[in-house]
Amino acid sequence: MGIAYLIVKVFYPPTSFSIIPIVSLIESPALGVIQLILLGLMVAFAYPVRTKIEGNSLMVVRKLAIIVAVGYLVFSLLPAAFRVPYIQTYIGLIIAANVLNGTFAGIVSSII
């Protein structure tokens, strides 16, 4: 999502940095929309297989893409839950959100 921020910053300079798509929709709608488009593209690229044989074997990948996208929307709210003045804590919360999202997606995909 940092890349999305840089793209929007080039075309719309007053944008504030945020990796949280839901909060970005409120604070800077352009950034929020681009972040949601990027999440949608991630899910869309898991679906291009047209044959039945490969489609059945890649069903787990398709489910994982959806789980990761939904998990990212939920776990990306972690940095917004804690307001601290230190950038190190914010970066740590971003890393923790990504680790939690990966763990959650791995556990759910192994159950499904």
Side-chain angles (χ1 to χ4, degrees):
M1 293 303 153
I3 294 171
Y5 166 73
L6 292 175
I7 292 169
V8 172
K9 189 70 169 173
V10 167
F11 295 106
Y12 188 65
T15 315
S16 61
F17 178 75
S18 176
I19 62 148
I20 308 166
I22 297 170
V23 174
S24 295
L25 279 172
I26 298 167
E27 292 177 357
S28 173
L31 180 60
V33 168
I34 288 180
Q35 288 176 342
L36 291 176
I37 288 172
L38 287 175
L39 280 174
L41 285 174
M42 183 189 78
V43 173
F45 280 120
Y47 280 88
V49 177
R50 291 189 170 95
T51 62
K52 285 281 193 188
I53 296 170
E54 287 134 357
N56 291 337
S57 64
L58 291 176
M59 190 56 69
V60 174
V61 174
R62 292 174 178 174
K63 289 179 185 176
L64 182 62
I66 292 172
I67 291 167
V68 168
V70 171
Y72 183 80
L73 287 175
V74 172
F75 286 114
S76 68
L77 293 171
L78 185 64
F82 302 99
R83 294 287 179 176
V84 291
Y86 306 112
I87 190 70
Q88 297 90 344
T89 307
Y90 185 75
I91 292 171
L93 288 170
I94 291 171
I95 293 169
N98 287 327
V99 168
L100 287 173
N101 187 23
T103 305
F104 173 75
I107 290 171
V108 170
S109 67
S110 66
I111 292 172
I112 294 177

